Amino acid sequence: MIEPIEAAAERADLETWLAGLGRSVREVQPLTGDVSPRRYARLSFEDGATAILATYPPDIAPVCPRFLRTTEILEGAGVRVPRVLAAACDGGGWMLLEDLGLLTLGDWKGRSWSELAAYFEDALGIIDRITGLPAGDLAELNPTLGCELLKKELAQTWEVFLAPRGLTGNSALAEALRAVLDSMCDALGSETPVPCHRDFMARNLMPLPGTSKVAVLDHQDLRLGPPFYDLASLLNDTVFPPPEAEEALLAAALPSPADRVRYHRAAAQRTLKAVGTYAAFARRGADRHLPLIGPTLSRSLRHLALVPESAALAVDLGRVWGPVSRTPEG
């Protein structure tokens, strides 16, 4: 029985669908998500096999076929993603996925860098493969991550975190900060967009047992976006490489000095966006990422200091944001 998943009628439909696949469920383990309506559970079958069940409620029904399409695109580029074992996007909103394990790379936070390094290096290669995808395949799949969407993301951070905590400073600092953030997003949006995963962070990378490789999760938001956005996501979310390791990864990924500024600009936007995301999650009852706000805000300050349009302002922001940004990782 799969009682933890659905109401009686829906549960019966799901059991019928699984039976049609020759699957008899022995045990269900609901999995924790963020705040998306999409739900996940690990199913253990009578034959000893396991799989991940993704359930797409009607209000996000279009995400199901989009996931199938991005799976096809990424597999075609040699990117390891969970295999889709079966899908009923139009008949229940269910998808059965390959079970790749219990812990993402983000769950490895706290392990030594010697255990993590090879997986990050593999992730750099995956970014290259994603960036090399034909742009035409993605143009209609999801909206481009351009200046307006980038600004909208930072507006959330302003509304749910910076302003409520008094971190916009006095009126002069607030006005200067708005101008700098707008300028930063305009600069990112003016670049020729490239294919990106959109959330290429450690929590969406799954170490593959017996290898130094990772598989990529939650890729349904694959789209065009600023160059180096996926790199900024990888190096500035949840698992932060030590400085010397980060520099080695950046040296491998950014051969041109001019690329460094473009990277720091993307990383400044991405980290500020992430702070707002964590705060918004907490407002909706999912507060487990709150310990990441301090370290992520600190990284945002560091990147702002390395971008021409925000370098001077970063000094003043450091004084205002300091107490929060120095909050240790929890």
Side-chain angles (χ1 to χ4, degrees):
M1 294 293 291
I2 48 180
E3 295 179 2
I5 296 179
E6 303 289 349
E10 294 171 314
R11 185 166 67 242
D13 289 343
L14 177 55
E15 289 177 337
T16 298
W17 179 63
L18 290 171
L21 300 174
R23 299 288 194 173
S24 178
V25 178
R26 185 183 75 244
E27 183 181 357
V28 176
Q29 178 188 358
L31 300 178
T32 302
D34 282 322
V35 292
S36 167
R38 185 178 48 205
R39 300 186 302 277
Y40 292 101
R42 174 172 285 104
L43 305 184
S44 298
F45 300 110
E46 295 293 349
D47 62 3
T50 63
I52 302 300
L53 175 70
T55 302
Y56 295 82
D59 54 334
I60 59 164
V63 180
C64 185
R66 195 163 75 234
F67 188 93
L68 295 178
R69 178 60 182 142
T70 56
T71 295
E72 180 183 30
I73 291 171
L74 291 173
E75 286 181 336
V79 175
R80 182 69 164 91
V81 295
R83 289 182 298 113
V84 177
L85 306 177
C89 292
D90 296 327
W94 302 305
M95 190 180 298
L96 208 58
L97 298 167
E98 177 186 10
D99 184 1
L100 293 176
L102 295 171
L103 301 178
T104 69
L105 192 59
D107 294 317
W108 284 22
K109 177 182 164 185
R111 297 196 186 193
S112 69
W113 183 249
S114 62
E115 296 179 87
L116 300 171
Y119 298 101
F120 273 76
E121 290 166 5
D122 184 54
L124 288 186
I126 294 173
I127 289 174
D128 286 342
R129 290 196 285 280
I130 292 175
T131 302
L133 290 169
D137 288 350
L138 308 186
E140 303 300 324
L141 194 61
N142 284 299
T144 296
L145 188 59
C147 62
E148 293 308 314
L149 184 50
L150 293 166
K151 289 177 182 179
K152 182 178 179 181
E153 291 177 339
L154 296 189
Q156 174 177 259
T157 301
W158 190 289
E159 293 163 7
V160 304
F161 184 78
L162 295 178
R165 295 204 177 200
L167 298 178
T168 57
N170 58 33
S171 59
L173 182 61
E175 183 178 350
L177 178 57
R178 283 194 184 278
V180 159
L181 296 183
D182 282 349
S183 175
M184 184 171 67
C185 292
D186 286 338
L188 289 169
S190 70
E191 296 199 59
T192 301
V194 301
C196 64
H197 175 281
R198 175 66 173 79
D199 270 324
F200 197 81
M201 56 188 178
R203 285 175 282 130
N204 279 334
L205 300 176
M206 181 68 73
L208 296 172
T211 77
S212 57
K213 307 292 186 181
V214 293
V216 180
L217 310 179
D218 285 352
H219 47 72
Q220 65 280 339
D221 287 337
L222 191 69
R223 67 184 68 205
L224 300 179
F228 312 125
Y229 189 87
D230 278 353
L231 180 64
S233 302
L234 175 66
L235 300 184
N236 295 278
D237 193 302
T238 309
V239 178
F240 306 125
E244 65 279 5
E246 182 181 10
E247 177 55 36
L249 291 168
L250 288 174
L254 305 172
S256 165
D259 290 342
R260 289 292 182 113
V261 172
R262 299 163 68 202
Y263 162 77
H264 289 303
R265 189 176 284 124
Q269 193 281 341
R270 170 69 190 191
T271 48
L272 266 184
K273 176 262 184 188
V275 166
T277 300
Y278 301 150
F281 283 176
R283 282 192 171 191
R284 287 175 274 176
D287 61 1
R288 69 182 181 278
H289 300 314
L290 285 180
L292 283 171
I293 284 182
T296 304
L297 193 64
S298 176
R299 293 183 81 82
S300 183
L301 271 173
R302 192 183 83 181
H303 292 298
L304 287 167
L306 295 170
V307 175
E309 61 264 33
S310 57
L313 188 65
V315 177
D316 293 329
L317 288 175
R319 287 191 285 267
V320 178
W321 293 1
V324 177
S325 67
R326 288 192 292 270
T327 301
E329 245 178 287

